[in-house]
Amino acid sequence: MLRWSITFLIIALVAAVFGFGGIAAGAATFAKILFFIAIAVFLITLITGRKRIDI
């Protein structure tokens, strides 16, 4: 998911350089949303991860 976030961030940067403001804003917003979802999923799996039991 982070890979998609970085991809949309690069698309936003390239679109901004070429002057496509609407596309850049949309891609940047989508990249931000994907980034925060990835962070949330990471934190959830970190908290509820499988605990190792040594017997």
Side-chain angles (χ1 to χ4, degrees):
M1 192 171 298
L2 279 177
R3 185 174 298 174
W4 282 104
S5 179
I6 293 171
T7 301
F8 279 105
L9 180 63
I10 292 171
I11 290 172
L13 290 174
V14 170
V17 167
F18 288 118
F20 298 108
I23 295 172
T29 302
F30 199 64
K32 190 186 310 183
I33 290 169
L34 284 177
F35 176 74
F36 285 122
I37 289 173
I39 294 297
V41 168
F42 170 72
L43 290 175
I44 289 170
T45 57
L46 188 67
I47 292 170
T48 64
R50 186 173 63 167
K51 308 252 188 301
R52 185 175 205 168
I53 300 174
D54 294 325
I55 296 176

